[in-house]
Amino acid sequence: MNSDWNHPVIGVCILIFVVSMVLLTLCAPLLDIDLWLTFRILFSLVLTALGGLITALWMRLRRLETQVRFLQEQLYKLEKD
């Protein structure tokens, strides 16, 4: 993983956290559910962790696909010579 503070996964995590907090706050009264603030924060953090994990794995997969494509091109060039 990249250690930059502005890594794209951080942005995705912040977005997921804010959206889940807003949705839980708005939907709880509509569904007659009494959600404490602590529960909303914990549930949002769990969703954020899952979203960040999926995003990080997806980015890693894309990077590996690019590396494999590059290596296949290099192998093709070597076999061609």
Side-chain angles (χ1 to χ4, degrees), residues 16-45 47:
I16 291 172
F17 181 77
V18 170
V19 168
S20 63
M21 282 295 292
V22 168
L23 286 177
L24 285 173
T25 302
L26 293 176
C27 293
L30 296 175
L31 300 173
D32 293 329
I33 300 172
D34 183 26
L35 292 178
W36 295 326
L37 179 63
T38 307
F39 176 75
R40 285 184 287 187
I41 291 173
L42 289 175
F43 190 68
S44 294
L45 287 174
L47 290 176

Side-chain angles (χ1 to χ4, degrees), residues 2-76:
N2 195 346
S3 61
D4 292 341
W5 67 270
N6 60 352
H7 197 276
V9 175
I10 295 173
V12 171
C13 289
I14 292 170
L15 183 66
I16 291 172
F17 181 77
V18 170
V19 168
S20 63
M21 282 295 292
V22 168
L23 286 177
L24 285 173
T25 302
L26 293 176
C27 293
L30 296 175
L31 300 173
D32 293 329
I33 300 172
D34 183 26
L35 292 178
W36 295 326
L37 179 63
T38 307
F39 176 75
R40 285 184 287 187
I41 291 173
L42 289 175
F43 190 68
S44 294
L45 287 174
V46 168
L47 290 176
T48 301
L50 290 173
L53 176 67
I54 290 169
T55 303
L57 289 174
W58 181 75
M59 291 176 66
R60 178 70 176 153
L61 178 65
R62 299 307 252 168
R63 195 174 325 137
L64 287 173
E65 287 175 346
T66 304
Q67 291 174 350
V68 167
R69 196 173 313 118
F70 173 76
L71 290 173
Q72 285 174 339
E73 290 172 3
Q74 294 298 318
L75 182 62
Y76 176 74

